[in-house]
Amino acid sequence: TDIKDLSQEDAATEIAALQADLKQWAREYYENDAPSVEDSVYDVAYNRLEALEAAFPALVTADSITQQVGGREVKSDLPKVAHPVPMLSLGDVFSFEELADWMATTQKSFHEPLAYNAELKIDGLAISLVYENGSLVQASTRGDGSIGEDVTANVRQIKRIPKKLNEPLTVEVRGEVYMPKADFVTLNEERERDGLPTFANPRNAAAGSLRQLDAKITKQRQLDAFLYFAVDAENVLGVTTQAELLARMAELGLPTNPTNAVVSSEADVEAYITNQTATRDDLAYGIDGIVVKVNNLAYHEELGNTVKVPRWAIAYKFPPEEALTVVRDIEWTV
Ligand code: NAD
């Protein structure tokens, strides 16, 4: 139903139904690493909820899924870790038009023309790594953004994550742990042969493999990582832009993704997205979109964050791969 035709009562009923579905799906996805619906189904329901909440602000509650990062609470047997600087989610757009609107909105706050760093959106799970005097001392998952799970022993099993940086720095870096596509296929073949449940996709396989109580299991799984963020990067790493940050992290020996590009116009971003979409299937790892970030790090502080997402970055999500899914989504929303 068109939102403008809804009474407040009808909207409240629909919001309650959407919250119940989304919270159930979030539990399956974040806690059990076993989603029962496609991401696109989740995204359509989530966007409908956001639109309803925008039209009926009185119906927004603090425990709404739109006000929380990740799962509702961190239910896991792993020890917990606090994130003094919260680990956020990303706002998302699904068309070039919405992306251009977002760029125009960020530009409004500044006189000089903004540059943006475009990156691949790696389809894995977020990770935080703390290095003290150059040594890896703690690794944790995002959890609910403020409290994550301690996965230090497990992360030590990921070969490409260095236990020592090339310089004795104390820094918290963040990025994405993922499972390469080929390793996901092999893992699922093995699990099928052993009569074990298979993973729905490489993202859930990566999350399930990292969130293990026994690091020996993680060791048997092929995980890799790309880092793309550092807490207080300007002061700690002496960089001024997102693009410089990626180069600096690579210098320190951290795995970074090489496909980023600094872009300054809508046309440039569109070209980047078109090129990356064309080569997407050739990549050894899964991506589910493109992340566009304001390049100047000083502007990140000026733009700030909402309770859930930074205002200086946005995710452009790829359309769902199968046409069938799209048909199902449309039916689902009417
Ligand atoms: P998200 O995964 O859409 O985006 C935010 C995350 O992107 C960040 O936390 C970070 O981990 C990651 N990321 C990857 N590459 C990045 C880069 N280059 N720069 C910055 N961040 C990068 O958001 P989310 O809140 O984690 O999850 C929401 C999404 O998860 C939904 O849109 C849906 O697709 C999926 N989901 C699916 C189900 C389901 O049942 N299928 C349930 C819950 C969530």
Side-chain angles (χ1 to χ4, degrees):
T1 318
D2 207 325
I3 289 178
K4 65 177 178 351
D5 300 330
L6 285 180
S7 67
Q8 175 129 338
E9 206 186 338
D10 290 344
T13 309
E14 190 179 342
I15 285 175
L18 286 166
Q19 295 280 10
D21 278 352
L22 285 162
K23 284 178 181 173
Q24 165 74 20
W25 294 335
R27 263 195 303 278
E28 292 166 352
Y29 183 91
Y30 293 112
E31 284 173 32
N32 310 337
D33 304 317
S36 63
V37 296
E38 295 284 338
D39 286 356
S40 53
V41 174
Y42 181 91
D43 290 343
V44 169
Y46 189 94
N47 289 340
R48 174 79 179 170
L49 175 61
E50 267 191 333
L52 286 164
E53 289 186 340
F56 297 93
L59 299 178
V60 183
T61 54
D63 76 341
S64 168
I65 198 146
T66 61
Q67 309 299 307
Q68 293 166 347
V69 174
R72 198 174 142 70
E73 52 188 310
V74 190
K75 278 212 196 101
S76 148
D77 294 332
L78 288 159
K80 307 291 180 291
V81 173
H83 301 303
V85 177
M87 291 181 78
L88 299 176
S89 178
L90 283 171
D92 47 23
V93 293
F94 296 84
S95 66
F96 289 150
E97 209 180 13
E98 283 179 284
L99 182 58
D101 286 349
W102 177 82
M103 289 172 74
T105 306
T106 53
Q107 178 64 71
K108 261 190 218 145
S109 307
F110 304 97
H111 291 301
E112 58 157 327
L114 286 186
Y116 299 85
N117 191 61
E119 303 171 14
L120 301 184
K121 186 170 185 294
I122 312 300
D123 199 7
L125 76 153
I127 190 87
S128 151
L129 308 174
V130 177
Y131 287 88
E132 263 173 33
N133 302 315
S135 295
L136 177 66
V137 294
Q138 187 179 72
S140 55
T141 63
R142 191 181 68 178
D144 68 2
S146 302
I147 296 174
E149 301 148 307
D150 188 330
V151 287
T152 312
N154 311 23
V155 162
R156 287 184 192 284
Q157 306 303 333
I158 303 177
K159 292 188 205 80
R160 285 238 298 162
I161 294 186
K163 291 173 192 63
K164 271 205 176 315
L165 297 177
N166 293 333
E167 293 172 37
L169 289 170
T170 295
V171 62
E172 178 181 352
V173 292
R174 294 173 179 175
E176 203 81 355
V177 165
Y178 67 91
M179 183 177 286
K181 291 176 196 166
D183 296 302
F184 163 71
V185 172
T186 309
L187 175 63
N188 264 355
E189 279 167 5
E190 283 169 12
R191 290 178 69 86
E192 205 163 332
R193 198 190 54 214
D194 297 344
L196 295 168
T198 53
F199 287 106
N201 53 49
R203 186 261 163 218
N204 294 290
S209 301
L210 190 65
R211 299 174 63 238
Q212 290 284 340
L213 288 173
D214 182 356
K216 282 200 233 65
I217 300 179
T218 310
K219 191 176 182 177
Q220 292 159 6
R221 308 280 172 84
Q222 303 304 313
L223 296 176
D224 210 331
F226 287 123
L227 283 307
Y228 46 72
F229 178 84
V231 172
D232 202 12
E234 291 164 281
N235 290 321
V236 180
L237 299 178
V239 291
T240 60
T241 67
Q242 173 66 18
E244 279 174 33
L245 169 62
L246 293 178
R248 181 83 177 99
M249 288 200 294
E251 220 174 70
L252 293 174
L254 293 162
T256 55
N257 189 281
T259 57
N260 69 298
V262 177
V263 292
S264 47
S265 66
E266 287 165 25
D268 283 355
V269 186
E270 236 185 273
Y272 179 86
I273 293 177
T274 308
N275 290 338
Q276 299 302 334
T277 307
T279 50
R280 179 182 179 190
D281 289 345
D282 305 332
L283 293 172
Y285 45 86
I287 58 172
D288 62 336
I290 302 294
V291 187
V292 181
K293 301 175 181 174
V294 171
N295 199 31
N296 188 332
L297 297 175
Y299 293 169
H300 291 193
E301 282 143 55
E302 278 188 54
L303 288 164
N305 311 311
T306 71
V307 289
K308 183 158 179 171
V309 300
R311 290 197 194 88
W312 46 266
I314 197 83
Y316 166 91
K317 291 267 186 95
F318 291 133
E321 275 175 302
E322 294 154 47
L324 266 181
T325 317
V326 178
V327 173
R328 201 170 69 219
D329 288 355
I330 291 165
E331 284 170 0
W332 196 90
T333 54
V334 291

